[in-house]
Amino acid sequence: MIQKTGSIYVYFQRNKGHLAGGILCSILAGMGETMWAFVFQKIGELPGDMTKAAILRLAGILLFTVFYYAVSQNACAYFRRTFLKRINIQLKRDVFDAVLDQDMIQFTSSNSGTYLSVLNNDVTNLENNYFAKIPEIIQQTFIFLGCLAVLCCYDVRVAGMVLVTVWIPAVVPFLLGHRISGAEGRFYQSLEQYTWKLKDFFGGFEVIQSFQIETETKALFGSCVKDVEESHCHSRFWESSCEVLSLSLTYGTLFFQILCCAWMAAKGKILANAMLSILYLLSSINNPVQNAVRAILSVKAAR
């Protein structure tokens, strides 16, 4: 039914204005993340200059950074909300129109519970795990690029080392993404059958009461619920396993990067007052990769 729209990417084309606004705000939010490195640098320099003017200057920089960060993040959230609202309206209307455009034979070839499942379960899945994740991936990408660029200004050697090692957690979607997709697909198939049977149970309430088959109906419903939850549990297993693996690789990579920076600082190759900013940037570079990996896993499952 959704094939009538040509491709799922048509929804990005229809809402390219909101998507462009979200990308612009993501760039601004990425700049906001890099401003914190400047704040930490000033904090590192403060012990050598504890004058009233220096403290007031630091307070002013901190207030401006907090204000800029709050405004940019709220702007990103606004475009994300409106982007998702418009896509949900368009997607549900397209699916509903496609159902009504069928002739009677086509319509009755599928149980109406299938259409309910598409409009409720599948559309919600696309919203939460696909359309909501694309702007997040874009935002995390700009945060990553911005912080990496600032790190290059501090020390190109550290930036090169980070650029080589930061991609280690990114292998998880390529290694286990198909497992998540398969488990997620089986879950939504069982959820469709659950919706289909639930509709039939409620629609046949009079028959159930007339023939006094409440016990058999409850047993069938219990079996259906068990199948749904078992497939959901299997899907959660692969999601959590991939997330734990990705998180472990991220922390391991970050630990290695910190050790390298500590060794360079001990050798006098990194200024002591820059270490606080560099450590912040290391975290700000690895976290977007971790968040993007998690979002990519969701996108692969939703597709």
Side-chain angles (χ1 to χ4, degrees), residues 180-237:
I180 297 178
S181 300
E184 193 80 2
R186 288 188 290 272
F187 166 60
Y188 275 92
Q189 287 175 358
S190 64
L191 197 59
E192 179 180 321
Q193 294 176 0
Y194 170 79
T195 305
W196 178 78
K197 290 180 180 179
L198 192 62
K199 176 185 174 297
D200 283 351
F201 288 151
F202 290 148
F205 183 79
E206 292 184 2
V207 175
I208 295 172
Q209 290 287 319
S210 300
F211 288 90
Q212 297 181 349
I213 52 175
E214 293 90 344
T215 303
E216 293 81 355
T217 303
K218 290 177 181 178
L220 288 173
F221 177 74
S223 176
C224 184
V225 170
K226 183 180 178 181
D227 290 341
V228 171
E229 292 307 319
E230 284 183 349
S231 61
H232 199 186
C233 182
H234 186 66
S235 173
R236 286 170 174 162
F237 166 77

Side-chain angles (χ1 to χ4, degrees), residues 11-21 83:
Y11 296 101
F12 292 105
Q13 297 172 359
R14 291 182 186 176
N15 301 280
K16 54 188 176 183
H18 283 73
L19 183 60
F83 177 72

Side-chain angles (χ1 to χ4, degrees), residues 2 5 7-15 19 79-81 83-92 94 122-138 295 298-300 302-303:
I2 299 177
T5 61
S7 169
I8 200 168
Y9 300 108
V10 74
Y11 296 101
F12 292 105
Q13 297 172 359
R14 291 182 186 176
N15 301 280
L19 183 60
F79 278 102
R80 186 173 301 176
R81 288 195 308 269
F83 177 72
L84 291 176
K85 181 188 74 172
R86 290 171 60 89
I87 282 184
N88 275 335
I89 292 173
Q90 295 164 5
L91 184 58
K92 288 179 179 179
D94 285 343
D122 294 356
V123 170
T124 301
N125 174 39
L126 284 175
E127 175 193 358
N128 296 333
N129 297 323
Y130 189 86
F131 290 116
K133 298 300 180 182
I134 297 299
E136 180 180 347
I137 293 173
I138 294 173
S298 297
V299 168
K300 288 177 69 67
R303 288 181 62 182

